[in-house]
């Protein structure tokens, strides 16, 4: 009997609490904006997009060490990375944050037609090279325009440089083989 | 205008009642009962029996008709019988016709032979007061018996539902 | 008793007057439906801190018109395996049933479409008419979700009619009348004469205040269930039954169901206003009284309850079927019995 009355009272009381919360929200400021007319970034009082917003990815090639973690984390396999090992004595420039680098990143492609904006790649990256930006207006008439090659885009390695490091590595391999065949 | 309305309601009642009887589809029969009840309620209104008319709508449409439809829906689903009733057999047809004709003839005889007293008609302002007084004074016992009967039915229904 | 209808006073009791009287609530209903649809869209948006419709007209205020136009010109699909006559009839019955309720709603002391002295009983009676339309639409669609929705609707409405009827019975006892105008007239004067505050009378009624409050809450809950609004929208629960009994309907016929739902919302709000909140009476004695202001008070009071329904819709989640039955039979009904006895005692003491 006591439980029954308590139940009824709780039912009414919790409904009232819920109503208080919703009426409170009714008079709050709207968080959404009238998008094409007002850009979210222009909304007064907004410094930037919300921290958990998912938009276009950006890869800082000066920070990327080519570890391939992001490509492995990606559930839809839209990141494809090609690296070239560096020969001893010809290491790539260190990371902007100071870490050592052993790989030349010759290609870093993100296919945004496939990307589902899960942001798993940004969490996997050990150096924080791949990040979400606030940019989301990048639709295009050609789907190949949505495949971004960040190496080309940032010109971190020119084609000649890529060819050169590939050559060097091939030579290095050859030398190694030779060494293996006829040891000193 | 009253005559017009009367014939309208009478037409609705008779038309839908014949659908109830003649339709091969039980659902049609059940749903045309709606119009029958409604037409009867309209006739009650024309007789200045507004309380009875509303009770008709409330009890027959809101209660009994819903129960009938529910019954039709549930039983056909359970036993898997086709919802369309089969054609009526010859025997039933003849018996029913005979009974109906006998009742009709006796009703017509009754209407023509009784000397009806034409009373000066006063439009009652409200019927509910007189109905209430009649229930609580002259017809108290039938009223109470009906109430007790309904209570027994209610308790019985609860009991049957509990046993399962 | 004064003549209760200004149309009759103006042009006499003839055919034109009858036609006007039966069409006036329809005009009101159309205007109200547009406002209520906009209200539903905007209030839901604001509660969720969105903007809501913004494109049609300034701040989207013509959005309901756009929606109605869209519904009108949509293709009207009747499923192949549906039972055509009943399928087409159901929306009309639904709408006719809810429009019938408007016949006795007193908008002002000088306008009530039909001033019969059984108004309250009439509202109760035609309230049960719509069930048939639901059941018909649910069955004729030949769709398991529709049928389930229809059955659930009936079970729900039949259960919740009983507490609602208890409340109405209490009001009949307190007012000693079933005539809506008479009930409203008894609540005239200041707002403490409203039945939600125990009606007019001496200080003794203060003891009974909780009971009349509870009665009012019981009726609001029961009326939510009778109009199939959240948290009692089990018959049309989108997540379980697609849209319940009107899953298969589209275009104009869907609009009729939609319209009937909004009309029902107004009718129950009007009933709450009439039986608990003094109908067209001004809350402050003679301040802004009179028949014209009466319309204003009546409509604005009713709109408060329409708003309450919308507000509740965006607050509470849907109940389970067994919880629904529990609330009706084990909570509302015993409480309404107790309150009925208490308020009858109040009437005897007065
Ligand atoms: S956001 Fe997700 S889908 Fe897109 S590139 Fe990163 S891991 Fe792949
Ligand atoms: S996880 Fe980071 S560092 Fe590694 S390849 Fe991807 S972007 Fe470069």
């Amino acid at each position: 009997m006591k439980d029954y009355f308590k139940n009824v009272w709780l039912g009414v009381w919790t409904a009232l609490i819920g109503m208080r919360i919703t009426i409170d929200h009714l008079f709050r400021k709207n968080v959404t904006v009238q998008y094409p007319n007002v850009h979210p970034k222009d909304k007064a009082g907004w410094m930037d997009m919300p921290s958990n917003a998912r938009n276009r990815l950006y890869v800082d090639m000066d920070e990327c060490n080519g570890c391939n973690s992001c490509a492995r984390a990606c559930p839809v396999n839209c990141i494809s990375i090609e690296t070239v090992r560096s020969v001893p004595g010809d290491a790539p420039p260190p990371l902007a944050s100071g870490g050592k680098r052993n790989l030349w990143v010759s290609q870093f492609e993100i296919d945004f037609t496939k990307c589902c904006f899960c942001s798993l790649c940004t969490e996997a990256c050990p150096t924080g090279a791949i990040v979400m930006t606030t940019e989301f207006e990048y639709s295009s008439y050609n789907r190949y325009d949505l495949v971004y090659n960040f190496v080309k885009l940032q010109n971190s390695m020119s084609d000649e440089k890529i060819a050169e490091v590939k050559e060097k590595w091939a030579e290095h391999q050859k030398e190694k083989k030779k060494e293996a065949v006829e040891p000193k | 205008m009253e005559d017009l309305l009367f014939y309208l309601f009478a037409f609705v009642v008779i038309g839908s009642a014949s659908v109830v009887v003649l339709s091969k589809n039980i659902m049609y029969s059940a749903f045309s009962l709606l119009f029958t009840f409604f037409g009867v309620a309209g006739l009650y209104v024309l007789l200045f029996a507004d309380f009875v008319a509303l009770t008709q709508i409330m009890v027959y449409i809101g209660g009994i008709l819903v129960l009938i439809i529910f019954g039709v829906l549930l039983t056909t689903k359970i036993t898997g019988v086709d919802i369309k009733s089969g054609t009526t057999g010859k025997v039933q047809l003849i018996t029913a016709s005979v009974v109906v004709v006998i009742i009709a003839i006796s009703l017509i005889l009754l209407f023509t032979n009784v000397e009806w007293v034409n009373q000066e008609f006063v439009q009652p302002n409200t019927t509910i007061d007189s109905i209430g007084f009649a229930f609580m004074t002259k017809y108290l016992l039938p009223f109470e018996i009906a109430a007790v009967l309904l209570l027994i039915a209610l308790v019985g229904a609860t009991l049957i539902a509990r046993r399962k | 008793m004064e003549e209760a209808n200004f149309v009759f006073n103006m042009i006499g009791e003839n055919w034109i007057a009858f036609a006007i009287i039966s069409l006036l609530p329809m005009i009101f209903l159309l205007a109200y439906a547009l406002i209520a649809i906009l209200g539903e869209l905007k209030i839901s948006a604001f509660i969720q801190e969105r903007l809501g419709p913004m494109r049609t007209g300034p701040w989207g205020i013509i959005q309901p018109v756009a929606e109605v136009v869209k519904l009108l010109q949509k293709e009207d699909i009747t499923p192949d395996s549906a039972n055509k006559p009943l399928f087409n009839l159901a929306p009309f019955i639904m709408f006719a049933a809810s429009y019938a309720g408007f016949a006795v709603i007193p908008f002002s002391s000088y306008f009530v479409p039909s001033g019969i002295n059984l108004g309250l009983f009439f509202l109760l009676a035609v309230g049960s008419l719509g069930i048939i339309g639901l059941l018909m639409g649910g069955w004729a669609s030949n769709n398991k979700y529709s049928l389930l929705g229809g059955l659930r609707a009936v079970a729900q409405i039949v259960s919740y009619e009983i507490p609602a009827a208890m409340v109405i019975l209490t009001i009949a006892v307190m007012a000693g009348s079933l005539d809506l105008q008479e009930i409203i007239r008894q609540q005239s004067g200041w707002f403490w004469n409203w039945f939600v505050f125990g009606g007019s009378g001496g200080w003794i009624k203060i003891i009974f205040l909780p009971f009349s409050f509870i009665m009012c809450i019981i009726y609001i809950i029961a009326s939510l269930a009778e109009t199939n609004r959240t948290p009692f929208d089990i018959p049309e629960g989108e997540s379980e039954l697609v849209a319940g009994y009107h899953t298969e309907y589209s275009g104009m016929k869907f609009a009729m169901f939609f319209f009937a739902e909004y009309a029902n919302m107004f009718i129950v709000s009007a009933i709450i206003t009439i039986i608990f909140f003094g109908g067209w009476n001004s809350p402050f004695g003679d301040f802004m009284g009179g028949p014209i202001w009466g319309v204003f008070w009546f409509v604005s009071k009713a709109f408060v309850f329409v708003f309450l329904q919308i507000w509740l819709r965006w607050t509470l989640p849907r109940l389970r079927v067994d919880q629904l039955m529990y609330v009706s039979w084990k909570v509302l009904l015993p409480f309404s019995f107790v309150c009925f006895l208490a308020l009858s005692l109040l009437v005897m003491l007065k």
Side-chain angles (χ1 to χ4, degrees), chain C residues 216-233:
Chain C
C216 182
I217 291 171
I218 287 174
Y219 192 79
I220 290 174
I221 294 174
S223 67
L224 278 176
E226 283 192 60
T227 47
N228 299 330
R229 297 279 303 180
T230 329
F232 303 104
D233 63 342

Side-chain angles (χ1 to χ4, degrees), chain A:
Chain A
M1 203 63 196
K2 219 178 110 197
D3 276 359
Y4 170 81
F5 281 110
K6 214 178 131 201
N7 249 335
V8 173
W9 170 245
L10 268 181
V12 175
W13 183 242
T14 47
L16 287 178
I17 290 177
M19 287 172 74
R20 207 205 60 220
I21 291 171
T22 41
I23 200 82
D24 182 36
H25 279 263
L26 182 63
F27 294 111
R28 279 215 202 143
K29 254 185 117 174
N30 302 318
V31 292
T32 54
V33 291
Q34 189 63 19
Y35 162 55
N37 304 7
V38 184
H39 195 278
K41 280 195 244 173
D42 302 340
K43 189 176 158 86
W46 280 27
M47 298 312 289
D48 220 328
M49 303 285 277
S51 59
N52 55 355
R54 302 288 164 82
N55 305 299
R56 181 160 70 182
L57 289 160
Y58 174 77
V59 186
D60 186 356
M61 294 314 294
D62 290 342
E63 279 291 337
C64 174
N65 60 17
C67 68
N68 213 24
S69 301
C70 52
R72 262 177 280 135
C74 178
V76 293
N77 293 332
C78 64
I79 305 180
S80 57
I81 301 172
E82 252 179 49
T83 50
V84 183
R85 302 263 304 265
S86 59
V87 294
D90 182 30
L95 299 177
S97 54
K100 243 184 36 198
R101 243 195 313 204
N102 292 323
L103 296 166
W104 295 98
V105 186
S106 59
Q107 190 201 26
F108 196 114
E109 267 183 8
I110 299 183
D111 187 348
F112 282 105
T113 57
K114 281 196 207 161
C115 176
C116 64
F117 305 102
C118 60
S119 200
L120 288 176
C121 49
T122 62
E123 305 202 351
C125 181
T127 61
I130 183 165
V131 285
M132 284 284 177
T133 59
T134 56
E135 182 58 43
F136 56 90
E137 295 165 308
Y138 56 99
S139 49
S140 142
Y141 285 105
N142 182 351
R143 69 175 63 167
Y144 296 107
D145 290 351
L146 288 173
V147 181
Y148 284 44
N149 188 343
F150 285 95
V151 175
K152 287 267 155 56
L153 286 172
Q154 291 171 28
N155 212 5
S156 62
M157 281 180 85
S158 58
D159 285 347
E160 297 89 65
K161 182 78 183 165
I162 293 171
E164 189 196 321
V165 294
K166 276 192 178 155
E167 187 87 345
K168 272 188 182 164
W169 176 245
E171 241 158 58
H172 182 68
Q173 288 290 83
K174 241 186 253 166
E175 258 166 43
K176 259 194 171 172
K177 239 185 217 160
K178 232 190 264 165
E179 267 168 35
V181 173
E182 36 186 279
K184 279 174 200 165

